Amino acid sequence: MTFTKTSQKFGQWADSRANTVFGLGFASEQQLAKFAEKFQEVKEAAKLARDKSQEKMETSSNHSQESGRETPSSTQASSINGTDDEKISHGGPETAALITENDRLKTAVEQSNANAKKWETELQTLRESNARLVDALTESSANVESWKKQLNSCKEESETLREKISELEAQCAEASAEKERNAQLSARVQELETELQDKEQELENLRKQAEIIPQLMAECESITEKLQAADVKNKDLEERIGGLQADIEDSQSKQGNMKGELKKFMDILDGKIDELHEFRQGLSRLGVDN
């Protein structure tokens, strides 16, 4: 089996004999790298143990075959030639070498049996580790499914939040436009207030000028009284009528001009008052609309 990193936080491996693919997710890329290293170490250790076990079993088998071939000859030699001591004494150095080799093979077989028990223990440990890894992988698969569901839920919440953000942005845009319109209206109101102050100042000036009208009227009345007095005296002063006729005409001309100017001034004042009244009505309507 070979562990493959399919992403920064997920890896998988396949068991071709079981026709199964296993996957495992991690919280970080460092944990994934550590798991991959440990996976490779366990894989190499299992392969090495398997190779050693196979090699020892082959060695043990070879030794057993050699022992089986040599033992009958030794037994035959013993049965024919007597005891080992007799064989050593009668067989010479070759017999002693065979006995020594036989002892060495027995020791190797015993060592091989001990190693086989040790390898069986290690194999059992590896099987238990493999079972724990399978349980961990099963749990991780369940966690992956749970994480997928949580991810889908987070995605849905993210879409909902994005829609809300879009709505809030639209509302902010409308609020900004409304603020801009309010700012324009405020500027317009400020301009109208400035114009109103100017009109009020102009009206105040006209009022000050209107205060002169009584004086002019008084002068007109005085002139009228003088004219009446002059008419009364006209009968008595018929002799002087020729000389005073020019004065009377001049005075009448001045009075007519003064009345004309006064009438024009009154007309202007009436127009200004009407304009101010209309301006106040427009300002009142604007305030109500705002």
Side-chain angles (χ1 to χ4, degrees), residues 107-147:
T107 304
V109 170
E110 293 175 356
Q111 184 67 31
S112 177
N113 292 330
N115 291 333
K117 292 181 181 180
K118 180 179 179 182
W119 294 331
E120 287 178 358
T121 303
E122 292 179 356
L123 181 60
Q124 183 64 28
T125 303
L126 289 174
R127 287 177 180 174
E128 292 176 356
S129 298
N130 190 21
R132 287 195 297 271
L133 286 173
V134 170
D135 294 337
L137 290 174
T138 303
E139 184 179 358
S140 298
S141 299
N143 291 332
V144 167
E145 293 297 328
S146 176
W147 294 338

Side-chain angles (χ1 to χ4, degrees), residues 4-270:
T4 304
K5 297 179 182 179
T6 57
S7 66
Q8 292 182 350
K9 296 182 181 181
F10 192 83
Q12 65 182 17
W13 66 94
D15 187 355
S16 59
R17 293 173 298 179
N19 195 18
T20 305
V21 178
F22 301 94
L24 189 61
F26 298 88
S28 63
E29 187 175 0
Q30 291 77 10
Q31 292 181 359
L32 175 61
K34 187 181 294 185
F35 180 83
E37 293 177 359
K38 195 67 177 177
F39 189 95
Q40 187 65 24
E41 290 178 2
V42 173
K43 178 181 175 181
E44 292 177 356
K47 182 178 180 181
L48 182 61
R50 185 175 63 251
D51 294 340
K52 286 183 178 180
S53 177
Q54 185 176 359
E55 182 180 354
K56 293 295 184 180
M57 290 176 66
E58 291 178 355
T59 303
S60 176
S61 177
N62 293 332
H63 290 171
S64 298
Q65 291 176 3
E66 292 176 358
S67 299
R69 288 194 301 268
E70 291 174 356
T71 301
S73 62
S74 300
T75 304
Q76 184 178 2
S78 299
S79 61
I80 295 173
N81 298 325
T83 62
D84 291 339
D85 294 334
E86 292 175 351
K87 181 177 66 176
I88 293 171
S89 60
H90 297 285
E94 293 180 358
T95 303
L98 290 174
I99 293 173
T100 303
E101 182 66 20
N102 190 19
D103 293 337
R104 186 181 67 78
L105 289 174
K106 288 180 180 179
T107 304
V109 170
E110 293 175 356
Q111 184 67 31
S112 177
N113 292 330
N115 291 333
K117 292 181 181 180
K118 180 179 179 182
W119 294 331
E120 287 178 358
T121 303
E122 292 179 356
L123 181 60
Q124 183 64 28
T125 303
L126 289 174
R127 287 177 180 174
E128 292 176 356
S129 298
N130 190 21
R132 287 195 297 271
L133 286 173
V134 170
D135 294 337
L137 290 174
T138 303
E139 184 179 358
S140 298
S141 299
N143 291 332
V144 167
E145 293 297 328
S146 176
W147 294 338
K148 286 182 179 179
K149 292 180 181 179
Q150 293 178 3
L151 180 61
N152 292 329
S153 177
C154 291
K155 286 182 178 179
E156 293 177 357
E157 291 180 358
S158 177
E159 292 296 331
T160 304
L161 290 175
R162 287 179 180 176
E163 292 177 357
K164 290 183 179 180
I165 289 171
S166 300
E167 293 177 358
L168 291 175
E169 288 179 351
Q171 293 177 1
C172 290
E174 293 178 358
S176 299
E178 188 67 23
K179 286 182 180 179
E180 186 176 356
R181 287 195 295 270
N182 291 333
Q184 293 177 356
L185 290 175
S186 299
R188 180 59 180 166
V189 170
Q190 188 68 27
E191 293 178 357
L192 292 175
E193 288 179 353
T194 304
E195 292 180 1
L196 180 61
Q197 291 177 358
D198 295 338
K199 295 293 183 181
E200 288 179 351
Q201 185 64 34
E202 185 176 356
L203 180 62
E204 185 66 25
N205 295 331
L206 291 175
R207 286 176 181 174
K208 290 181 180 179
Q209 293 178 2
E211 292 177 356
I212 305 174
I213 293 175
Q215 296 178 1
L216 295 175
M217 294 296 293
E219 291 180 358
C220 289
E221 291 177 357
S222 177
I223 292 171
T224 303
E225 290 176 356
K226 289 179 180 180
L227 288 175
Q228 290 177 356
D231 289 336
V232 172
K233 292 179 181 181
N234 189 25
K235 295 178 179 180
D236 297 334
L237 297 175
E238 289 180 355
E239 295 178 355
R240 299 179 183 179
I241 191 80
L244 296 175
Q245 186 67 36
D247 296 332
I248 293 171
E249 292 177 355
D250 183 59
S251 177
Q252 289 177 352
S253 177
K254 289 181 179 180
Q255 185 179 3
N257 292 333
M258 187 175 294
K259 288 182 178 180
E261 291 178 358
L262 181 61
K263 185 178 180 181
K264 290 179 180 179
F265 182 77
M266 292 297 293
D267 293 336
I268 293 171
L269 182 59
D270 292 336

